[in-house]
């Protein structure tokens, strides 16, 4: 039987395979949480979970091609998340100050739970925009744009991560 280092070495097969599957499940679960919580790299964790699952199977079911496709999708998810947030904010008139305020608001919002995660970016964008230019209507529009952009980014990340998981599952079953 072929031996893959650390995985299907005679006498070590059960422990290593179980450990890798547990690692895969933990990484994917953390990645799914990270899709909606800022500062947790959701898509990369999902990808690493798929790599761990591939390793657990000796790269026979989930191989290099599947991992490459999932890797490209992970890179696309990163780009889409960034672009969606920026485009949504720009579409509603946000300046770089508004985007910086949204980031600061996100970091501060983490300490206030789910309401802080939802409202923090908008409050930060509004505050920084208003500080730059005391026009509340423009500042509020920028805040709404940031929220819409980030929400679209989260939806896109979720769709891409689920697509990655689906591709890996199909590859594993075939």
């Amino acid at each position: 039987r072929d031996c893959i280092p650390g995985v299907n070495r005679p006498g070590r097969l059960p422990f290593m395979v179980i450990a890798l599957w547990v690692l895969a499940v933990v990484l994917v679960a953390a990645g799914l949480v990270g899709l909606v919580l800022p500062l947790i790299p959701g898509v990369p964790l999902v990808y690493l979970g798929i790599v761990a699952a591939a390793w657990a199977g000796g790269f026979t079911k989930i191989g290099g091609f599947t991992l490459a496709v999932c890797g490209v999708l992970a890179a696309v998810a990163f780009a889409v998340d960034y672009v969606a947030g920026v485009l949504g904010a720009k579409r509603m008139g946000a300046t770089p100050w508004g985007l910086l305020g949204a980031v600061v608001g996100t970091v501060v919002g983490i300490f206030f739970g789910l309401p802080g995660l939802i409202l923090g970016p908008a409050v930060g964008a509004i505050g920084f925009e208003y500080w730059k230019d005391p026009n509340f209507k423009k500042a509020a529009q920028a805040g709404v744009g940031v929220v819409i952009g980030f929400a679209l980014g989260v939806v896109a990340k979720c769709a891409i991560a689920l697509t990655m998981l689906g591709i890996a599952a199909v590859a594993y079953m075939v």
Side-chain angles (χ1 to χ4, degrees):
R1 170 157 103 156
D2 292 327
C3 285
I4 294 180
V7 176
N8 57 355
R9 193 175 294 158
R12 292 183 59 187
L13 174 66
F15 173 76
M16 285 302 294
V17 170
I18 291 169
L20 285 168
W21 276 113
V22 167
L23 179 64
V25 169
V26 167
L27 286 170
V28 168
L32 293 175
V33 169
L35 292 174
V36 293
L37 290 181
L39 303 178
I40 298 175
V43 175
L45 288 174
V46 169
Y47 179 72
L48 289 175
I50 292 170
V51 171
W55 191 8
F59 297 97
T60 56
K61 296 197 179 244
I62 301 173
F65 179 74
T66 301
L67 291 175
V69 169
C70 289
V72 168
L73 286 173
V76 168
F78 178 78
V80 164
D81 185 35
Y82 175 74
V83 170
V86 170
L87 289 179
K90 284 289 188 191
R91 180 109 172 124
M92 296 296 283
T95 66
W97 284 101
L99 296 176
L100 177 62
V103 170
V104 170
T106 299
V107 172
V108 172
I110 289 171
F111 299 106
F112 295 96
L114 187 58
L117 291 173
I118 294 169
L119 297 175
V123 170
I126 292 168
F128 275 56
E129 284 287 345
Y130 190 78
W131 181 53
K132 181 194 135 289
D133 178 16
N135 180 339
F136 187 74
K137 183 177 178 186
K138 285 178 73 175
Q141 283 179 326
V144 169
V146 167
V147 170
I148 291 170
F150 285 145
L152 291 174
V154 167
V155 169
K157 279 192 310 188
C158 290
I160 293 171
L162 292 176
T163 300
M164 290 167 50
L165 289 171
I167 289 169
V170 167
Y172 190 80
M173 290 188 274
V174 173

